[in-house]
Amino acid sequence: MIMKRCLAICACLLVTLQTAIAQKPDTAQVLVHYKFSHVRDTNNRAHPYTENMVLFVGKASGNYKSYDTQLQNDLYRRQLQEQVSAGGNFRLDHKITGSGTEYYQFINDKRLVRKEMLINAYIINDVLSTINWHISNNTANFGELHCQKATCHFKGRDYTAWFCPDLPVHVGPWKLNGLPGVIVEAYDAKKEVVFKFDRVEKAVLGARKPIKDRHGRTIIPLDDDAGDTDPNIIQVPNGIKTTDKEFEKLNKAMHKDPNVLVQSMAAKAQNSGGPKPDIDTKVMPQPPFNNPIEIPEK
Amino acid sequence: MMRFMRSTLLLLCGLLFSALCFAQANIRGAVKDSTGKAVSFTTISLKNKTGNLIVAYATADNKGVYSLAVPTGLNPDSLLVEARCIGYKSQAKAIRGAAPVDFILKASVNELQAVVVKSNRPFLRTSGDTLSYKVSDFSNPQDRVIGDVIRKLPGIAVAADGTISYNGKSISNLYIGGDNLLDDKYNIATKTIPQGVVDQVQVIQNHQPIKMLQNKVNSDDVALNLTIKKGAKLQLVGQESIGAGLPGNYDEDLNAMMFKDQYKAINYLKGNNTGDDVQNDFISHNQSAYLQKINNDPPATVLSLGTVNTPNLAENRYLFNQSAAASLNNLVNLKKGGQLKVNLSYVHDNQRQDYREETQVYLPNDTVRFSETERNRFRPDILHGQLTLNVNKDKYYLNDILVTDYSRKAEYSALNTNGTAVNQVFNDNTFNFSNEFNLMQPLKSNNIIEFYSYLNHTSEPENRSIQPGFNPAVFNNGNPYAQLNQTVNIPTWFTNNYFSFKIPSDFITQSYRTGFVVQSQKLESNLNVVQFNNIVTPQSDSSANRLSWNRRKLYAEAAYDLPGKLLKANLTLPLSLQQIGYSDSLYTLNKSLTRLYFDPQFRVKYMVSVENFITALYNFRNVIGNIQDIYHGYILQDYRTLYANNADLTERKDQTAALGFNYRKALVLFFWSVNASYDHVSANNITSGIISNNFQQRIVLPFQNVTNSWTANGYISKYSFALRTTFSGGVVWTSNHSNQIQNNALLPYNTIATNLNAGAETKVSDHVTCSYKANLNQTSSYSSADGPTYHIKQLVQQAELNYNPSDNLQFKLSGEHYITYQSQANELKYFFADASMKFRIEKWKTDLQLDANNFLNVKTYNALNLSANTFTASSYTLPGRIVMLRMIFNL
């Protein structure tokens, strides 16, 4: 009996070990840059919302996030390091115009994870939609990448996507996935949602250097949960697990009464051992938004 | 019996069904690696053999097993099954009936990256109207200054005089770090700024520099902007070059530049006698367009030495010079948002020419010939100063430019024409200053008021003397004499002032303008004969001028701009009342005329797609002559031309219509454009010439005549990623129908000129680059009055080979070949070759460069020239071989 139990335990351990080894995180080899534009207000088509986005492409997963935010974060870290090395109090404006939403596509597990930033990081797990693509014979060159065209109807819109079979990872921007190549450009029939190919580059690996002050203590910036890990590692970061419905409620609340949420951030800072920061929250009036990306099917 | 029949029927159905199943084939198989382990989640695609396109796909499961359905209607024999997985080399196999298609994949590293590295080719970023070229994508170690890189960019062409054009259109301005340091004298920048300092070259289309007018008033200007690398913005930048060589040559270039956001400067001092004309640095590329816009036509130089044209070769092949130039260009961005700029330049030169020429003029009944040999010397001293104050804000625009020019030119010519010696001394001093003031401000109602005032004074006293007594039969009643002096000066005052009111709106911006122009000039000339006893007498009683001229114009203009995203249009409707009065007491001349002119202009640009557009324009212009069209006293313009007018002012009506199409695909670096235009000019008089062996006399006859010209041009440029080559080409075709009167005969003439050019720039390997350019010019002249036709063709080919074995050593070999063909003569062929070697001494951070220019030592050049009915054959002396050693270092 005991022998059987030992064997069972060993077997379980081995299995977990196996899966643990198998859980070695995917590292991006290639970065695809997009210029994302979305007509949020149909009365103002001349001025769509635009943002520079980047897709980190791993062996079987992808991480789609804002490139503007990444550049702004990098700049903030550099400025912070300079001020901290100089010593004394520091005052820095952390200005972020990009969005904090990130999409993680895990192809083999059929998982879609969405990360949102609302003072804290929120993680929303979902199933990766199976999209019914129709491949056509059209080809085009994007830079030097030879691509083929495919179309589908997804979340209320008719999308055209160009995928590159030479990059055989089934990922794409936002929630688009499932083609036998990375989707390098996609747009809907009305050109209201456009992921326009900007460029592709090799991933340059290397963890970010931790910010240390003159005494050698490590400083962790408040808004940057990614911390010092290498951005090329495609791994869902730590965050509060929630559902889509719960998050929408939180988002609405934020715009109605910001100070309630700000208290949670102050609480978090005190937990990390730092002084209670002096925070003043203002929520800017939002421009009209009558055209969401996902349209409910009729 | 029945049971047997039923079972056979069932069997038949079964067989049929299974046959159908076979028709809808399912390809199955397993994917393993070379060790036998399963390769999970492989992508399996079905591709057609012909186009290599994917028609269906599936993903293997975590055991490497897959099942893929062949779409109905496709023949399995035309398809391949391909297995791809990251970390493994892809494999494709054919389908064999229903047999499983298994794969054994070989491991491979960095597969994704290999695809990406291949696509990191030169790339253009587009953002709205701006196109950016990264300098490092197109430069190579041989490029010293940014001008060397700009001429290699796909879509951009640089002419011999430095004029830059983008997809067939000349640029309006070259900005440095967003600041306008040099106005349109951008050769200073392209020839001085080191290429290592520039990060990107940006092309900005529809550039509207005035902030207040952006998105309200159209501009179809194209501007270039050089963005400076962050490191170069903080320090002093300079590239110094000191050179000496044989036979007795020098070439120095000392410069200091600064490209901070608050302060920009390009200051330099240079001198050489190797054929590099420093005056080319200060060419004002948009000067004529600017003068036409403000309606100023300053008087042109009246006199000249009458010397022959320069050879049709690159300038450094024929120029004998001793030039020196100093240029100071400094710009400061003031704290309150204003900008102050000072540009000063001084040029001194001593040029000489050594020519021989034969000219034949063909007339219906006979041919007139003359020949000459020349030794000329030119000594210009030119000083130019400009002070600019500019405030360019959304709520306020102020611009004031104060310019002064002072130059002294002394020219000497020893001429021998048809056996007679003619020595000339020509002094041409110019002094002018101008001030342009422009102020724009928005009112509370969002409308914009503008005030503009331009004032200019020019004076150019010219004096030319000819010795010994030239052609006494014509100039001194047959008596020999000592010297002939011609003096001319046209001091001019000009002012243009206007008030304008703009009403911007989201749809059409309206502008209403009213103003006045006053031009006041005096033409004074004297032609004097100096006798042997030093007494000075006027050549005749009709060889002096005391002409006064006044032009006044009152104008009102309405302009409508449609600054849309897809359609941009502009309609300008100017109405003007012109009054011209001129009088000369010597000839009891006192005339005045008043005209009401309407000169509509229309242009439109329509975006056919995101990157392509169509342009069209129509202009109607009334052009009236100027003071140089109505002087009655004879002026000896050059030693062969005695010129006077005896008719009223020339009045021309000039209509132009043009159409063009522009294509661009920035992602693959492909540009092409085509343009066609038609110009119709009708004038109320025609110049008539009387030519004899010793001089030409021209008078103007009141004869209505019409000139029509058609022009078509095309430009194409493409970068081939596979061949690492930029291909470019262009074609220009012009047909001109005009009339000429000579010796009292009316001769209609048609001239057709064609220009074809093609070029290729290749990066053969990381160490070798080569380039090739060919330029073909063909001119033909026909007379519809049964006269003979003439053709001249010239082909110029240039090739260059660069070899850089290491970072410290560079070799260059280049050649230039000229061929001239013409009907009724042998062809002329010339070949010039240059070689250069550059060696870098790391310890001193200095480059040593050894150049041998024209090392085949070609010392004479003959050329032919055909225009209308005149044929000229010239022979020139060339500098020959020059060997130079230069030391180049950076600050």
Side-chain angles (χ1 to χ4, degrees), chain A residues 24 29-30 59 166-168 202 205, chain B residues 85-90 105-117:
Chain A
K24 186 175 137 189
Q29 290 199 47
V30 161
K59 292 215 169 88
D166 294 324
L167 301 168
K202 239 169 60 161
L205 300 176
Chain B
C85 189
I86 299 290
Y88 298 91
K89 264 177 121 161
S90 64
L105 298 182
K106 289 201 194 105
S108 135
V109 238
N110 288 340
E111 210 180 78
L112 277 186
Q113 295 191 338
V115 174
V116 169
V117 164

Side-chain angles (χ1 to χ4, degrees), chain B residues 11-12 67 108 156 172 231 291 350 360 373 380 388 391 484 586 623 653 664 705 778 811 869:
Chain B
L11 192 63
L12 273 167
S67 165
S108 135
I156 294 189
S172 63
L291 288 175
N350 188 352
Q360 302 179 62
T373 58
T388 311
V391 179
L484 194 62
L586 298 178
V623 183
K653 292 196 197 303
R664 176 188 94 188
N705 69 96
Q778 183 170 304
F811 293 99
N869 61 338

